[in-house]
Amino acid sequence: MKKIAVIGCGAAGMMAALAAAESSSSVTIFEKNSKPGKKIYITGKGRCNVTNACSVEDFFSYVKRNPRFLYSAIYDFDNTAVMDFFEKNGCHLKTERGDRVFPVSDHSSDIINTLYRAVTKAGVNVLFNTTVYSVESMGGKVSAVVYENDGEPVTREEFDSVIVCTGGVSYPSTGSTGDGYKFAKELGHTVVTPLPSLVPFETKESWCKDLQGLSLRNVGLKLFLEKNDDAQKKTDETKNKKKKSKPVYEGFGEMLFTHFGISGPLVLTASCHYEKNMQGKVFIDLKPALTEEQLDKRVLRDFEEGLNKSFKNILGGLFPSKLIPVMIELSGIDPEKKVNEVTREERSNFVKLIKNLPLTITGTRSFNEAIITRGGVSVKEINPSTMESKLVEGLYFAGEVIDVDTETGGFNLQVAWSTGHLAGVSASAAF
Ligand SMILES: Cc1cc2nc3c(=O)[nH]c(=O)nc-3n(C[C@H](O)[C@H](O)[C@H](O)COP(=O)(O)OP(=O)(O)OC[C@H]3O[C@@H](n4cnc5c(N)ncnc54)[C@H](O)[C@@H]3O)c2cc1C
């Protein structure tokens, strides 16, 4: 019987262990926490968006980096297979807006319990409070795992295969502290620099702080990136005269102002298109349902209805009250000015501002606030058909530790389920 070690009892680790045990291997999971799935517990605001019910073909368009690497894993164990697994094991699911799939109970703990029950039923040995320090290899083949179990002396145990499912480095309090990157590097792998993704933006504009807590639904957002380098900028300016720059992301939804900048689902999705070494600019469309012309008519109507009112007193129908002082300030129009004195040019610029509220991105928040880590073990050194290392025989990777990341919507967990399943089956099959 083949002896397999799985490092990490998260989504990828449990799925890998289950698949390997069901393929007749003897499996041990090493988990530094005292319980399984600590990160799964906080997913989907405690409801766990377990997968997405989109078509498999559509799935790949939500994968931001290295979608092609995932073809075998996804076709081997797709979203339907994941949903079948949970349904068959008594955890009923429902599909919500955007094809997002959740447990009917709205409790992520039901996902963890269902999976963990299946893992133990399949005979997997799970060691909690156990930290793996290193993975050893000999003659190009994985040989052993060195670990410490709950204050016991450090132990070295031999295994035929090791599946690294240690996650990324985001929300490190859940146990994902980047240990897998260290193991991979020590065994000769390249690790693409880990960066926070699905993460809020920090902005230069200090007025965001004044709007802290203000959530805006149904707004549009465009993210533009420009090269930072001045010399390059000049070349770009010449080019841009001919060609208008395109947003790297354009979306619609809900956002939130915070003391440091902007957050909320729309901003998190935009963040996976952001490049740290480039100058980021966001434009918020506060009235995406109206064209500039329609909005101008609407503003003009408001002006006509309140002819003798001052500018500051006719904006209540356009914006939430918290936003009014900021919009007045940015418009440059005297708040006391009677609306019948506002010039056509001032009104036109005001309409443009409503359609393109500008924000300068100075960076992202840290890993502590990032839903996922982008970067990780390079896919060039992993066989996509098996998840086995191309450098060390018997070494496998699954889940967020790999350089693959997706948008929000249940896709990141699907990556963990699919790569975990493929790694487990492959590790068991290889002899
Ligand atoms: C707040 C939040 C909400 C999210 N919501 C969703 C969502 O709704 N839908 C979705 O698809 N994705 C969501 N994600 C992303 C998703 O949770 C992750 O992509 C996924 O859990 C990654 O699974 P994993 O098994 O690869 O890694 P992890 O879940 O991070 O598991 C890694 C495990 O390895 C253990 N470990 C690490 N190093 C060692 C070591 N040296 N020894 C022993 N054990 C070790 C850790 O303790 C941990 O338990 C969310 C993430 C966050 C932070």
Side-chain angles (χ1 to χ4, degrees):
M1 193 185 250
K2 204 166 176 200
K3 213 177 150 201
I4 298 176
V6 174
I7 312 175
C9 194
M14 281 195 270
M15 194 53 88
L18 179 62
E22 284 179 345
S23 311
S24 312
S25 289
S26 156
V27 185
T28 303
I29 301 184
F30 297 91
E31 170 55 57
K32 62 161 99 148
N33 292 326
S34 57
K35 53 185 179 204
K38 206 166 167 191
K39 187 169 272 175
I40 302 177
Y41 191 69
I42 58 167
T43 56
K45 295 190 176 140
R47 297 170 62 221
C48 187
N49 180 190
V50 65
T51 186
N52 191 287
C54 68
S55 72
V56 178
E57 291 70 30
D58 280 354
F59 178 88
F60 297 104
S61 66
Y62 296 99
V63 181
K64 287 299 116 201
R65 262 135 309 247
N66 301 313
R68 279 165 54 190
F69 171 78
L70 289 174
Y71 282 0
S72 297
I74 296 292
Y75 283 109
D76 163 70
F77 195 68
D78 64 9
N79 49 359
T80 316
V82 170
M83 290 187 270
D84 281 354
F85 167 79
F86 283 106
E87 289 284 352
K88 277 186 190 140
N89 285 279
C91 179
H92 299 300
L93 304 173
K94 59 180 173 181
T95 305
E96 296 190 357
R97 188 173 46 87
D99 284 334
R100 292 164 191 248
V101 180
F102 293 88
V104 168
S105 66
D106 283 331
H107 291 137
S108 56
S109 52
D110 287 338
I111 295 294
I112 302 168
N113 293 341
T114 305
L115 194 55
Y116 187 61
R117 219 181 304 121
V119 164
T120 48
K121 202 171 149 202
V124 175
N125 174 30
V126 189
L127 297 177
F128 289 114
N129 302 310
T130 305
T131 303
V132 172
Y133 292 132
S134 64
V135 179
E136 294 182 352
S137 71
M138 206 199 288
K141 192 182 176 324
V142 97
S143 56
V145 162
V146 178
Y147 63 93
E148 186 179 351
N149 181 342
D150 219 359
E152 299 276 313
V154 174
T155 308
R156 180 184 179 278
E157 189 176 343
E158 293 192 352
F159 286 93
D160 299 311
S161 295
V162 175
I163 311 178
V164 179
C165 306
T166 45
V169 266
S170 35
Y171 277 72
S173 56
T174 60
S176 332
T177 50
D179 298 11
Y181 304 146
K182 176 180 151 288
F183 305 151
K185 278 184 191 164
E186 285 169 354
L187 292 164
H189 274 270
T190 310
V191 173
V192 176
T193 309
L195 292 171
S197 197
L198 300 180
V199 64
F201 281 138
E202 292 182 351
T203 60
K204 189 169 127 198
E205 290 75 12
S206 52
W207 51 260
C208 285
K209 192 169 190 293
D210 304 332
L211 301 180
Q212 182 174 349
L214 175 68
S215 164
L216 299 176
R217 279 163 186 260
N218 306 328
V219 292
L221 184 151
K222 282 184 194 161
L223 170 66
F224 290 84
L225 293 178
E226 275 175 18
K227 292 217 167 64
N228 257 331
D229 179 49
D230 277 345
Q232 186 63 46
K233 224 176 205 171
K234 281 194 185 130
T235 329
D236 285 352
E237 271 166 20
T238 328
K239 272 189 203 158
N240 286 347
K241 277 184 190 151
K242 290 176 202 149
K243 203 177 90 186
K244 207 167 168 261
S245 67
K246 271 192 180 164
V248 290
Y249 171 76
E250 194 170 355
F252 173 83
E254 189 179 342
M255 65 163 288
L256 173 76
F257 289 99
T258 68
H259 64 283
F260 53 77
I262 48 173
S263 184
L266 185 58
V267 174
L268 298 189
T269 303
S271 75
C272 57
H273 301 262
Y274 176 68
E275 298 296 338
K276 194 170 109 186
N277 54 353
M278 293 182 89
Q279 177 68 61
K281 195 99 192 164
V282 156
F283 292 92
I284 306 207
D285 184 350
L286 295 168
K287 299 285 169 199
L290 302 177
T291 62
E292 226 170 270
E293 207 179 23
Q294 289 166 329
L295 180 61
D296 188 50
K297 277 190 188 145
R298 156 84 202 273
V299 173
L300 189 59
R301 200 182 63 219
D302 286 1
F303 278 18
E304 282 165 357
E305 281 169 10
L307 267 188
N308 290 317
K309 285 190 180 166
S310 54
F311 179 58
K312 69 173 186 200
N313 289 330
I314 59 111
L315 301 175
L318 276 173
F319 317 113
S321 56
K322 212 169 179 178
L323 190 55
I324 294 175
V326 170
M327 293 305 285
I328 293 176
E329 171 89 31
L330 295 175
S331 75
I333 302 173
D334 177 358
E336 304 301 336
K337 198 171 193 174
K338 296 279 176 281
V339 285
N340 57 7
E341 290 167 7
V342 173
T343 65
R344 180 191 288 254
E345 193 190 356
E346 281 174 325
R347 197 185 71 232
S348 159
N349 288 339
F350 183 53
V351 165
K352 285 196 174 74
L353 176 70
I354 302 174
K355 294 289 288 173
N356 288 289
L357 183 61
L359 284 160
T360 315
I361 309 302
T362 53
T364 67
R365 295 298 273 176
S366 72
F367 283 114
N368 291 334
E369 293 172 53
I371 301 287
I372 51 149
T373 304
R374 118 183 207 198
V377 181
S378 170
V379 297
K380 291 185 186 142
E381 295 159 359
I382 303 173
N383 181 344
S385 311
T386 57
M387 297 295 131
E388 187 176 19
S389 158
K390 289 181 184 172
L391 312 181
V392 181
E393 198 186 327
L395 177 69
Y396 294 78
F397 296 96
E400 209 177 305
V401 70
I402 303 175
D403 178 21
V404 172
D405 63 279
T406 81
E407 290 187 14
T408 56
F411 306 106
N412 281 299
L413 276 174
Q414 180 64 47
V415 169
W417 309 131
S418 295
T419 54
H421 188 268
L422 182 57
V425 170
S426 312
S428 245
F431 258 110

